[in-house]
Amino acid sequence: MNHYMKKSIQQYQAENKNKARLLIKCPDQPGIVAAVSDFLYRHDANIITSDQYTLDPDGGQFFMRVEFYCPQLLEKAEVLEEAFQSIGEKFAMEWQLLYVSQLKNMAIFVSNEPHCLMELLWEYQSGDLMAHIALVISNHETARETVESLGIPFYYIPANKDIRKQVEEKQLQLLNEHQVDVIVLARYMQILTSDFVKNYEHQIINIHHSFLPAFVGAKPYERAYKRGVKMIGATSHYVTNDLDEGPIIEQDIGRVDHRDNSAKMKKIGQAIERVVLSRAVKWHLEDRIIVHENKTIVF
Amino acid sequence: MNHYMKKSIQQYQAENKNKARLLIKCPDQPGIVAAVSDFLYRHDANIITSDQYTLDPDGGQFFMRVEFYCPQLLEKAEVLEEAFQSIGEKFAMEWQLLYVSQLKNMAIFVSNEPHCLMELLWEYQSGDLMAHIALVISNHETARETVESLGIPFYYIPANKDIRKQVEEKQLQLLNEHQVDVIVLARYMQILTSDFVKNYEHQIINIHHSFLPAFVGAKPYERAYKRGVKMIGATSHYVTNDLDEGPIIEQDIGRVDHRDNSAKMKKIGQAIERVVLSRAVKWHLEDRIIVHENKTIVF
Amino acid sequence: MNHYMKKSIQQYQAENKNKARLLIKCPDQPGIVAAVSDFLYRHDANIITSDQYTLDPDGGQFFMRVEFYCPQLLEKAEVLEEAFQSIGEKFAMEWQLLYVSQLKNMAIFVSNEPHCLMELLWEYQSGDLMAHIALVISNHETARETVESLGIPFYYIPANKDIRKQVEEKQLQLLNEHQVDVIVLARYMQILTSDFVKNYEHQIINIHHSFLPAFVGAKPYERAYKRGVKMIGATSHYVTNDLDEGPIIEQDIGRVDHRDNSAKMKKIGQAIERVVLSRAVKWHLEDRIIVHENKTIVF
Amino acid sequence: MNHYMKKSIQQYQAENKNKARLLIKCPDQPGIVAAVSDFLYRHDANIITSDQYTLDPDGGQFFMRVEFYCPQLLEKAEVLEEAFQSIGEKFAMEWQLLYVSQLKNMAIFVSNEPHCLMELLWEYQSGDLMAHIALVISNHETARETVESLGIPFYYIPANKDIRKQVEEKQLQLLNEHQVDVIVLARYMQILTSDFVKNYEHQIINIHHSFLPAFVGAKPYERAYKRGVKMIGATSHYVTNDLDEGPIIEQDIGRVDHRDNSAKMKKIGQAIERVVLSRAVKWHLEDRIIVHENKTIVF
């Protein structure tokens, strides 16, 4: 990590040391917001932003994200969490209290095409992607120089479907060593096993180079060209055991026309992939996403 | 009004008879959300959606919009409003309690180009624009047949800058008779006097056919063509005494290129105007907009 | 047809009586453009716009669209067509010479949802959709009043899959009587048989309410909601024997989020459908589209 | 320049050694296209793409861009140019014959914000921006390391309005030494004198951080925030003597809302600036742009 970046992260942590986020998911019933806001008020916290959503017809599920400011937050963290316990129980909540200054540890997986990795590193250097990039793992050597020049450990682990088990063992060991919270598949062209995925439920973010559910699977640009579509897209989603079927976080598209062959589509698509993945990763880092069944609520 | 529409409005009112919206603007301080949500909880109201925003650096202004469901709402309206009085005073709030089933009375002003009027009438007929369109006023006869075929009163009031005062007197009288709450200038090409405007502060919505603040004033498409822009736009805003300077509600744009002369730009622009005005009017009808200084908060 | 519209069509035809379009498709080889432009020059024609495209890797197919002005065009039409015959043969062209003032006869098919029909009628009334709308055929009575008020014949033909053959016989008879050139399926919810389709190859334009190839078939908004997509779309394409698989003419999309259920998605989608179908129909009427294999070249 | 890039440029030049582009601007009259296409045919050239445009009402100006393939192009270059001379004279053309394999020499000027420079360098490294980046000139040291790591000469020339003349003398000397064809102002925050500009007419590309003509001049994001716009934009244009008034090449926009203060707008805007400048520079390098009066035709 270079000096500029270190300063930026330290500055960010200092500025946000009294900020936290509360994520809530529970059956809907009267009084939830009153209970939460009263709790915050009694603990001298001031709400910065608050979003909520009730999923009506399908059973009255309630979702909430509150970002608040609380003097001496980190000193009071334990007290807050303990005190919130009873509210959580009363309303049968799944809840998380997340401290803005505690950055997530991120691993990036990449194969041969570096554009998505490059975008993330760029955002990281600009101070716009607030995480600790703990390591980059690749089945190609392509990105080593760029990654290491930023002081980020780079691990080359050759991979193919015949040695998947050994590869994933090595990867999991590295992820454990680096205490990784979130894995970004920045165009990593290997399929992960369900054994691997279950360790990081809703913590693995993939970018698929099509507008899902169109062109699930391999070679989407070639297939988009063959079908003669007039727009191509990209989709960022959490990884589940079903290929390209996990909860969608973000999508975007770009125009193509008859002059664009699949190589040109790929170029146009790469610019979309960069933007879509970058948005999805930032929303995850900002604790904006709640997964419910196979969908995301993005606050 | 045709039968289909009457049914749609009645159905909407029946479905929403227990829904209300609370709009709040006050100096920021701890405890506002707790007080509001506690108030609603104590009156058996269940929050449907809630949005808030704090304007930080410029003095800590707090804004909130809550949509809630409350059994027997209309019977309890007076009690609710009285009870909220003390909260309003405590926090020095400007606040409004609005009942979803009480539709706003709308007047539409139009000149010779009917596309924006047509879009609004279409949305109205489809049950997507929930207001009582009380009357249409025009300085041309063009739209009479279409408007009257929907059972909406149409008033032809010739206008020019020399008879502005008399014209506005007639208009104000009609607006009073019809108890109009909101005026939509759907490409009405006459300037309103400040005497007129002060009667309807933040209740007159205009569509300007440029991406403001570019091309304030007359003939924006001609000027856009002359400047050689690659995109044109439209802006919907509340009318104030400063021409095209009121709080912006919504904007959108479309691409043009060197082949598009000002006539073609106008055609492209009209499609944008329709969409932008329609969005702004709906947001106003749904009580999503709070005006602060010369800007809008759109929840 | 009302007076305003008649005038607009007559005016259009008068203004364009000396304009024609030449559409060409042939194997690529040197000298095509030189031959065509020399031909036009020798016949006193001046090129207004000219577009060409060579499909390279897949066999060197050449496509061209020229719009030109030629004094006394209609008097010279026969001579021109005969003279171009030898160029066409020399380069093994499929070619068409189309006269801008000779409007196409259009039939619109619609079922219960009128929004796409309404958009087309609107454009027609505004003088922006230059065709003769010869008739509207529907399996519902919903749109009769609107259609007939514009002086357009409306035919109610109840339809379901059990009587498909009889229904299509009636439809074909009407289409023949009205000498229809192009059929627009403006949300017509019946499947056409291959016997019907073969009569109008690349002359039937459909709007499908999804971003194809995602959500081929029934209930795309419901399925889009279920999948949790963040954007929905619409696709206009020529009808072939394979459901929703014909050459795509135009697509567009709109953003949705977790708050939008399938009913809301449908509303958002309808606005996209209107725009996409309207663009595709206009491009067809302006002879901008050449079909090659299962794709369109849109000049 | 690293090895990968050298290979990419050499490969590009090899693949395109027989490709050229002809740019034409002249008064409209019959026979131009016939003459040009006949010329190419007689010299064994095959047209790859051809675009033309006639500016009708304002005096019948004709514009054309032809990209063609011609075996032994570079050997025949002199012959071609001489032979075209008489056609050019006959039709009073301004014309240019440009060889695709002869890359333009580019200088990039940058101040303290590196995002636009970074985007150009990225595209350059990816082989998507086909030019020789001959040098980078900056009035800050910020970008030195990045630029020099790619083997591109970096010149630090401190600048302010009091020493403008000396600064520009140094800059011009460097530009001459490096035989620069095109200058990209990638957020260079110094005003260029008319003496400087006249040396590079329509060869200096600037990025302005607003949707021109809105917010001409300094601090556009601050002013956009103050005005309460709902979209911000960026504009790339050729530099003339009138600040921010030169011919517009490309524009794009992004959505903002009341939550976005001017710092956030700046972040959103930087992503737009990157894309808009990058597109404009590529179009210039591909000889797609013809300037006419104060506008661009972009083919």
Side-chain angles (χ1 to χ4, degrees):
Chain A
M1 203 185 311
N2 64 30
H3 287 283
Y4 173 67
M5 285 156 48
K6 257 191 205 145
K7 196 182 145 205
S8 178
I9 284 183
Q10 283 165 6
Q11 190 183 331
Y12 177 84
Q13 289 178 315
E15 284 170 9
N16 291 281
K17 74 176 193 314
N18 288 326
K19 281 192 199 155
R21 295 158 189 152
L22 188 56
L23 292 190
I24 294 168
K25 177 176 165 178
C26 65
D28 192 28
Q29 62 170 287
I32 305 173
V33 180
V36 171
S37 51
D38 178 61
F39 166 84
L40 291 171
Y41 179 54
R42 282 188 291 105
H43 289 85
D44 291 326
N46 202 5
I47 297 175
I48 301 167
T49 59
S50 172
D51 286 283
Q52 57 182 87
Y53 168 63
T54 310
L55 181 59
D56 240 336
D58 306 278
Q61 199 73 17
F62 176 86
F63 306 89
M64 191 176 194
R65 177 188 185 270
V66 188
E67 187 164 307
F68 60 90
Y69 175 90
C70 181
Q72 261 90 36
L73 174 68
L74 298 174
E75 294 82 343
K76 291 155 70 178
E78 215 172 318
V79 174
L80 281 172
E81 295 192 26
E82 212 178 288
F84 196 75
Q85 206 73 36
S86 63
I87 295 176
E89 274 161 29
K90 183 178 168 193
F91 293 97
M93 289 175 177
E94 294 174 42
W95 63 275
Q96 281 182 282
L97 190 52
L98 300 134
Y99 303 93
V100 176
S101 61
Q102 291 178 1
L103 298 186
K104 289 177 177 49
N105 288 324
M106 182 189 294
I108 304 176
F109 284 34
V110 66
S111 290
N112 210 13
E113 292 186 26
H115 56 285
C116 285
L117 171 68
M118 293 295 282
E119 182 77 14
L120 295 173
L121 294 179
W122 173 323
E123 299 268 7
Y124 178 61
Q125 287 175 271
S126 313
D128 294 330
L129 186 148
M130 275 301 157
H132 282 300
I133 302 187
L135 73 163
V136 172
I137 292 176
S138 180
N139 56 336
H140 291 82
E141 285 280 15
T142 327
R144 180 185 290 277
E145 198 182 317
T146 308
V147 171
E148 291 186 343
S149 78
L150 294 170
I152 301 168
F154 177 90
Y155 297 93
Y156 168 57
I157 306 180
N160 63 58
K161 65 180 191 322
D162 301 326
I163 55 168
R164 194 160 283 162
K165 199 159 168 264
Q166 301 94 295
V167 167
E168 291 193 348
E169 268 167 24
K170 277 190 222 167
Q171 291 172 338
L172 283 168
Q173 194 187 323
L174 284 167
L175 297 172
N176 283 330
E177 279 171 23
H178 288 276
Q179 301 180 46
V180 163
D181 301 303
V182 53
I183 301 167
V184 179
L185 307 183
R187 299 298 308 274
Y188 182 65
M189 307 309 283
Q190 298 287 320
I191 291 172
L192 301 175
T193 69
S194 59
D195 279 348
F196 186 99
V197 171
K198 77 178 175 209
N199 289 281
Y200 293 94
E201 201 196 3
H202 305 152
Q203 304 292 332
I204 309 176
I205 300 173
N206 186 40
I207 179 75
H208 183 73
H209 40 318
S210 83
F211 188 88
L212 289 176
F215 308 121
V216 166
K219 297 197 177 298
Y221 293 126
E222 283 80 352
R223 287 151 68 203
Y225 175 67
K226 201 159 168 237
R227 180 62 187 93
V229 297
K230 299 298 184 184
M231 287 179 152
I232 56 170
T235 304
S236 188
H237 63 92
Y238 286 118
V239 174
T240 61
N241 286 329
D242 300 310
L243 184 68
D244 300 334
E245 297 286 351
I248 292 172
I249 304 169
E250 172 65 337
Q251 305 187 285
D252 215 334
I253 55 92
R255 286 213 165 261
V256 294
D257 70 22
H258 58 270
R259 290 175 208 279
D260 301 311
N261 58 19
S262 60
K264 189 74 196 300
M265 283 188 180
K266 194 175 164 176
K267 284 281 176 205
I268 295 169
Q270 287 178 341
I272 307 169
E273 295 165 34
R274 283 160 56 180
V275 172
V276 168
L277 179 62
S278 162
R279 276 190 218 137
V281 170
K282 279 193 220 170
W283 292 342
H284 181 92
L285 295 177
E286 292 166 10
D287 307 307
R288 298 191 170 281
I289 311 173
I290 300 180
V291 177
H292 179 62
E293 290 167 0
N294 203 43
K295 297 187 195 179
T296 60
I297 287 99
V298 180
F299 282 126
Chain B
M1 203 186 312
N2 64 30
H3 288 283
Y4 172 67
M5 285 156 48
K6 257 192 205 144
K7 195 182 147 207
S8 177
I9 284 182
Q10 282 165 8
Q11 189 184 330
Y12 177 84
Q13 289 178 316
E15 284 170 9
N16 290 281
K17 73 177 193 314
N18 288 326
K19 280 191 199 155
R21 294 158 189 152
L22 189 56
L23 292 190
I24 294 167
K25 176 176 166 178
C26 65
D28 191 29
Q29 60 170 288
I32 305 173
V33 180
V36 171
S37 51
D38 179 62
F39 166 83
L40 291 171
Y41 179 55
R42 280 187 293 106
H43 289 85
D44 292 325
N46 201 5
I47 297 174
I48 301 168
T49 60
S50 172
D51 285 283
Q52 59 182 85
Y53 169 63
T54 310
L55 181 60
D56 239 336
D58 306 279
Q61 199 73 17
F62 176 86
F63 307 89
M64 190 176 194
R65 177 188 185 270
V66 189
E67 188 165 305
F68 60 89
Y69 175 90
C70 182
Q72 260 91 37
L73 174 69
L74 298 174
E75 293 82 341
K76 291 154 72 176
E78 215 173 316
V79 174
L80 280 172
E81 294 193 27
E82 214 178 288
F84 197 75
Q85 206 73 36
S86 64
I87 296 176
E89 274 163 28
K90 182 178 168 193
F91 292 97
M93 289 175 178
E94 295 173 41
W95 63 275
Q96 282 182 282
L97 190 52
L98 300 134
Y99 303 93
V100 176
S101 61
Q102 291 179 2
L103 298 186
K104 289 178 178 49
N105 288 322
M106 183 188 293
I108 304 176
F109 284 36
V110 66
S111 289
N112 210 12
E113 292 186 26
H115 57 285
C116 285
L117 170 68
M118 294 294 282
E119 182 78 13
L120 296 173
L121 294 179
W122 173 324
E123 299 267 7
Y124 178 60
Q125 286 174 272
S126 314
D128 294 330
L129 187 148
M130 275 300 156
H132 283 299
I133 301 187
L135 73 163
V136 173
I137 291 176
S138 181
N139 56 336
H140 291 81
E141 285 281 13
T142 327
R144 181 184 290 278
E145 200 182 314
T146 308
V147 171
E148 292 187 343
S149 77
L150 294 170
I152 300 168
F154 178 90
Y155 297 93
Y156 168 56
I157 305 179
N160 63 58
K161 64 182 194 317
D162 300 327
I163 55 169
R164 194 160 283 162
K165 201 162 166 261
Q166 302 94 295
V167 167
E168 291 194 347
E169 270 167 22
K170 277 190 221 166
Q171 291 171 339
L172 284 168
Q173 194 187 323
L174 284 166
L175 297 172
N176 283 329
E177 279 170 22
H178 288 276
Q179 301 181 48
V180 163
D181 301 304
V182 53
I183 300 167
V184 180
L185 307 183
R187 298 299 308 276
Y188 182 65
M189 308 309 283
Q190 299 287 320
I191 291 171
L192 301 174
T193 69
S194 60
D195 279 348
F196 185 99
V197 170
K198 77 178 175 212
N199 289 281
Y200 293 93
E201 200 196 3
H202 305 153
Q203 304 292 330
I204 309 176
I205 300 173
N206 186 40
I207 179 76
H208 182 72
H209 40 318
S210 83
F211 188 89
L212 289 176
F215 309 122
V216 166
K219 298 198 177 296
Y221 293 125
E222 282 80 352
R223 287 151 68 206
Y225 174 68
K226 202 162 167 233
R227 179 62 187 92
V229 296
K230 299 297 184 185
M231 288 179 151
I232 55 170
T235 304
S236 187
H237 63 93
Y238 287 118
V239 174
T240 61
N241 287 329
D242 300 309
L243 184 67
D244 301 333
E245 296 286 353
I248 292 172
I249 304 169
E250 172 63 338
Q251 306 187 285
D252 214 334
I253 56 91
R255 286 214 165 259
V256 294
D257 70 21
H258 59 269
R259 290 174 209 279
D260 301 311
N261 58 20
S262 60
K264 189 75 196 300
M265 283 188 177
K266 194 175 164 176
K267 284 281 176 205
I268 295 169
Q270 287 178 341
I272 306 169
E273 295 166 33
R274 284 161 56 181
V275 172
V276 168
L277 180 61
S278 162
R279 274 190 219 138
V281 170
K282 279 192 220 171
W283 293 342
H284 181 92
L285 296 178
E286 294 166 9
D287 307 308
R288 297 192 170 281
I289 312 173
I290 300 179
V291 176
H292 179 64
E293 290 168 357
N294 204 43
K295 296 188 196 179
T296 61
I297 285 99
V298 181
F299 282 127
Chain C
M1 202 187 315
N2 63 31
H3 288 284
Y4 172 66
M5 284 156 48
K6 256 192 206 143
K7 195 181 147 207
S8 178
I9 284 183
Q10 283 164 6
Q11 191 183 330
Y12 178 83
Q13 289 178 314
E15 285 170 10
N16 290 281
K17 71 178 197 309
N18 288 325
K19 280 192 199 155
R21 294 159 189 151
L22 189 56
L23 292 191
I24 293 167
K25 177 175 165 178
C26 64
D28 191 29
Q29 60 170 287
I32 304 173
V33 180
V36 171
S37 52
D38 178 62
F39 167 83
L40 292 172
Y41 179 55
R42 280 186 293 107
H43 289 85
D44 292 324
N46 201 5
I47 297 174
I48 301 167
T49 59
S50 172
D51 285 282
Q52 59 182 86
Y53 169 62
T54 309
L55 181 59
D56 239 337
D58 305 278
Q61 200 73 17
F62 176 86
F63 306 90
M64 191 176 194
R65 177 188 185 270
V66 188
E67 187 164 307
F68 61 89
Y69 175 90
C70 182
Q72 259 93 37
L73 174 68
L74 298 175
E75 292 83 342
K76 288 155 71 177
E78 214 172 317
V79 174
L80 281 172
E81 294 193 27
E82 213 177 288
F84 197 74
Q85 206 73 35
S86 63
I87 295 176
E89 275 163 28
K90 181 178 169 193
F91 292 97
M93 288 175 178
E94 293 175 41
W95 63 275
Q96 280 183 284
L97 189 53
L98 301 135
Y99 303 93
V100 176
S101 61
Q102 291 178 2
L103 299 186
K104 290 179 178 48
N105 287 324
M106 183 190 293
I108 304 177
F109 284 35
V110 66
S111 289
N112 210 14
E113 291 185 26
H115 56 284
C116 284
L117 171 67
M118 293 294 282
E119 182 78 14
L120 294 174
L121 294 179
W122 173 323
E123 299 268 8
Y124 178 61
Q125 286 174 272
S126 314
D128 294 329
L129 188 147
M130 276 301 156
H132 282 300
I133 302 188
L135 74 163
V136 173
I137 292 176
S138 181
N139 55 336
H140 291 82
E141 285 281 12
T142 327
R144 180 185 291 278
E145 199 182 314
T146 309
V147 171
E148 291 185 343
S149 78
L150 294 170
I152 300 169
F154 177 90
Y155 298 92
Y156 168 55
I157 305 180
N160 63 58
K161 65 182 192 319
D162 301 326
I163 54 168
R164 194 159 285 162
K165 200 161 166 262
Q166 301 94 296
V167 167
E168 291 194 347
E169 269 167 23
K170 277 189 222 166
Q171 291 171 338
L172 283 169
Q173 194 187 325
L174 284 167
L175 296 173
N176 283 330
E177 279 170 23
H178 288 277
Q179 301 182 45
V180 162
D181 302 304
V182 53
I183 301 167
V184 179
L185 306 183
R187 299 298 309 274
Y188 182 66
M189 308 309 283
Q190 299 288 320
I191 291 172
L192 300 175
T193 67
S194 60
D195 278 348
F196 185 100
V197 170
K198 77 178 176 209
N199 290 282
Y200 293 94
E201 201 196 1
H202 304 150
Q203 303 293 331
I204 309 176
I205 300 173
N206 187 40
I207 178 76
H208 183 72
H209 41 318
S210 84
F211 188 88
L212 288 176
F215 308 122
V216 167
K219 297 197 177 296
Y221 292 125
E222 283 80 350
R223 288 150 67 203
Y225 175 67
K226 202 162 166 235
R227 179 62 187 92
V229 295
K230 299 298 184 185
M231 287 179 153
I232 55 170
T235 304
S236 188
H237 62 92
Y238 287 117
V239 174
T240 60
N241 286 329
D242 300 309
L243 185 66
D244 300 334
E245 296 286 352
I248 292 172
I249 303 169
E250 172 64 337
Q251 307 188 284
D252 215 333
I253 56 91
R255 286 213 167 261
V256 294
D257 70 21
H258 59 270
R259 289 174 210 279
D260 301 311
N261 58 19
S262 60
K264 190 76 196 300
M265 282 189 180
K266 194 174 162 175
K267 284 282 177 207
I268 296 169
Q270 287 179 341
I272 307 169
E273 294 166 33
R274 281 160 58 178
V275 172
V276 168
L277 180 61
S278 162
R279 273 190 220 139
V281 170
K282 278 192 221 170
W283 293 341
H284 181 92
L285 296 178
E286 293 167 8
D287 308 308
R288 296 190 172 281
I289 311 173
I290 300 179
V291 177
H292 179 62
E293 290 168 358
N294 204 44
K295 295 187 196 178
T296 60
I297 286 100
V298 181
F299 282 126
Chain D
M1 203 186 312
N2 64 31
H3 288 284
Y4 172 67
M5 284 155 49
K6 257 192 203 146
K7 194 182 147 206
S8 178
I9 283 182
Q10 283 164 6
Q11 191 184 331
Y12 176 84
Q13 289 178 314
E15 285 170 10
N16 290 281
K17 74 178 195 310
N18 288 325
K19 280 193 200 155
R21 294 157 189 152
L22 189 56
L23 293 190
I24 293 168
K25 177 176 166 178
C26 65
D28 191 29
Q29 60 170 286
I32 305 173
V33 180
V36 171
S37 51
D38 179 63
F39 167 83
L40 292 171
Y41 179 56
R42 281 186 293 107
H43 289 85
D44 291 324
N46 201 5
I47 297 174
I48 300 168
T49 59
S50 172
D51 286 282
Q52 59 183 85
Y53 168 63
T54 309
L55 181 59
D56 240 336
D58 305 278
Q61 200 73 16
F62 176 86
F63 305 89
M64 190 175 195
R65 177 188 185 269
V66 189
E67 187 164 307
F68 60 90
Y69 175 90
C70 181
Q72 259 93 35
L73 175 67
L74 298 174
E75 292 83 342
K76 290 154 72 177
E78 214 172 319
V79 175
L80 281 174
E81 296 193 26
E82 213 179 289
F84 197 74
Q85 206 73 34
S86 64
I87 295 176
E89 275 163 27
K90 181 178 169 193
F91 292 97
M93 288 174 178
E94 293 175 43
W95 63 275
Q96 281 183 285
L97 189 53
L98 301 134
Y99 303 92
V100 176
S101 62
Q102 291 179 2
L103 299 185
K104 290 179 178 46
N105 288 323
M106 183 189 293
I108 304 177
F109 284 35
V110 67
S111 288
N112 211 12
E113 293 186 25
H115 55 286
C116 285
L117 171 67
M118 293 294 281
E119 182 77 14
L120 295 174
L121 294 179
W122 173 322
E123 299 267 8
Y124 178 61
Q125 286 175 272
S126 313
D128 294 329
L129 188 147
M130 276 301 156
H132 282 300
I133 303 186
L135 73 163
V136 173
I137 292 176
S138 181
N139 55 336
H140 290 81
E141 285 281 12
T142 326
R144 179 184 292 277
E145 200 183 314
T146 309
V147 170
E148 292 185 343
S149 77
L150 294 170
I152 301 168
F154 177 91
Y155 297 92
Y156 169 57
I157 305 180
N160 63 58
K161 65 181 192 320
D162 301 326
I163 55 168
R164 193 159 285 161
K165 199 160 168 263
Q166 303 93 295
V167 168
E168 291 194 347
E169 269 167 23
K170 277 190 222 164
Q171 291 172 338
L172 283 168
Q173 195 187 326
L174 284 167
L175 297 172
N176 283 329
E177 278 171 23
H178 288 276
Q179 301 181 46
V180 162
D181 302 303
V182 54
I183 301 167
V184 179
L185 308 183
R187 301 297 311 273
Y188 182 65
M189 308 309 283
Q190 298 288 319
I191 291 171
L192 301 175
T193 68
S194 60
D195 278 348
F196 187 99
V197 170
K198 77 177 176 210
N199 289 281
Y200 294 93
E201 200 196 3
H202 305 152
Q203 303 293 330
I204 309 176
I205 300 173
N206 186 40
I207 179 76
H208 183 72
H209 41 319
S210 84
F211 188 90
L212 289 176
F215 308 121
V216 167
K219 298 197 177 296
Y221 293 125
E222 283 79 352
R223 288 151 67 204
Y225 175 69
K226 202 161 166 235
R227 179 62 187 91
V229 296
K230 299 298 183 184
M231 289 180 151
I232 55 170
T235 303
S236 187
H237 63 91
Y238 287 118
V239 174
T240 61
N241 286 329
D242 300 309
L243 184 67
D244 300 333
E245 297 285 353
I248 293 172
I249 304 170
E250 172 64 337
Q251 305 188 286
D252 214 334
I253 56 91
R255 286 212 166 261
V256 294
D257 70 21
H258 58 269
R259 291 175 208 279
D260 301 312
N261 59 19
S262 61
K264 190 75 197 301
M265 283 188 179
K266 195 175 162 176
K267 283 282 177 204
I268 296 169
Q270 287 178 341
I272 306 170
E273 294 166 33
R274 282 160 57 181
V275 172
V276 168
L277 180 61
S278 162
R279 273 189 219 138
V281 170
K282 278 192 222 171
W283 293 341
H284 181 92
L285 295 178
E286 293 166 10
D287 307 307
R288 297 191 171 280
I289 311 173
I290 300 179
V291 177
H292 179 63
E293 289 168 0
N294 204 42
K295 296 187 195 180
T296 61
I297 287 99
V298 180
F299 282 126

